[in-house]
Every structure is written in structure tokens, then in C-alpha cells.
Amino acid sequence: MARKQRFREEEEAAVDMTPMLDIVFIMLIFFIVTTSFVKEAGIDVNKPEAAQATKKKNANIFIAIRSNGEIWMDKRQVDVERVAANIERLLAEQPTEIVIIQADKDAKHGVVVKVMDQIKAAGIDKISIAGEK
């Protein structure tokens, strides 16, 4: 009789870990789904100085324009005609309302306007130009 009673005490002392593991996995899935990934341009440019520059926190797509007219998106160089298609692809992965153009201070105005036109063609109405404060 004493043997059966001791076995019951050991059985009752066990802690069931299944509910805790369920909660951990649900939290992991939540954090993975809600994470936003920023699509950096992939290069650094010498941005022009602006006295009224402000930070934009909700942008996920960056386009860099070098002084020689090269356009960089998602860490690769693209043609100006392909900017809209690349933005549509990035929007399918992660929707956003704003695109930031990081144009070099010596970049030609015409290239920047062509890129802005391609961004508008892709369906983005809010475009920001990056500047140094």
C-alpha cells in the first residue's frame, strides 16, 4: 500500500510543459508576422544638406542615385525603366506608403525626376528625398 501512495505523489509532482511551449510558439509566430524588413538601396551617397530635414520612420523602400546616374535598389543596380517593376515586386513582399530617394548631391536632376516618375507609375504617391541635417 505504501508503494502505491509514493508512486501517486511522484506522478502529481510532474509539471506539464505543453501549454508553455504553445504560448512560446504563438509569440514566435506573432513576432515573425509583424516584423517589417527595410529594403536598403545598398550604397552610400553624399546627400545634400537641408536645414528642415526630418526623419521618416515608416519607409521600407530606399532608392539611391549616384552622381554618375547609377540607380540602386535592394542592393543591386537597376535601369531607370525597371524601377517601377522593382517597386511593384517589393510592394508585393511588403506594402508601404512611402519611398525614400537617396540622391547624391551631384546627381542630375533629370535622373531624379525620371525615378520619381517611375515611383508614381508603381502606385506610390508619397516620395521623400533624403538629406543631411
Side-chain angles (χ1 to χ4, degrees), residues 38 62 76-77 81 84 107 109 132:
V38 177
F62 292 85
R76 58 190 177 93
Q77 186 178 354
E81 296 85 17
H109 180 72
E132 292 289 334

Side-chain angles (χ1 to χ4, degrees), residues 109-130:
H109 180 72
V111 176
V112 175
V113 170
K114 287 179 185 176
V115 170
M116 290 173 71
D117 190 39
Q118 289 289 313
I119 295 169
K120 292 266 187 181
I124 301 288
D125 291 328
K126 295 181 182 178
I127 302 170
S128 290
I129 308 271

Side-chain angles (χ1 to χ4, degrees), residues 78-117:
V78 296
D79 293 331
V80 71
E81 296 85 17
R82 302 282 181 231
V83 170
N86 281 301
I87 289 176
E88 289 171 358
R89 178 182 55 83
L90 293 174
L91 285 175
E93 293 174 9
Q94 177 122 18
T96 186
E97 296 177 351
I98 190 167
V99 173
I100 296 182
I101 298 176
Q102 299 171 325
D104 192 281
K105 62 183 175 182
D106 296 326
K108 300 222 185 257
H109 180 72
V111 176
V112 175
V113 170
K114 287 179 185 176
V115 170
M116 290 173 71
D117 190 39

Side-chain angles (χ1 to χ4, degrees), residues 3 6 22 27 32-33 81 85 103 108 112 117 128 133:
R3 188 173 191 202
R6 194 173 57 172
D22 289 344
M27 289 174 55
I32 289 173
V33 169
E81 296 85 17
K108 300 222 185 257
V112 175
D117 190 39
S128 290
K133 198 160 191 171

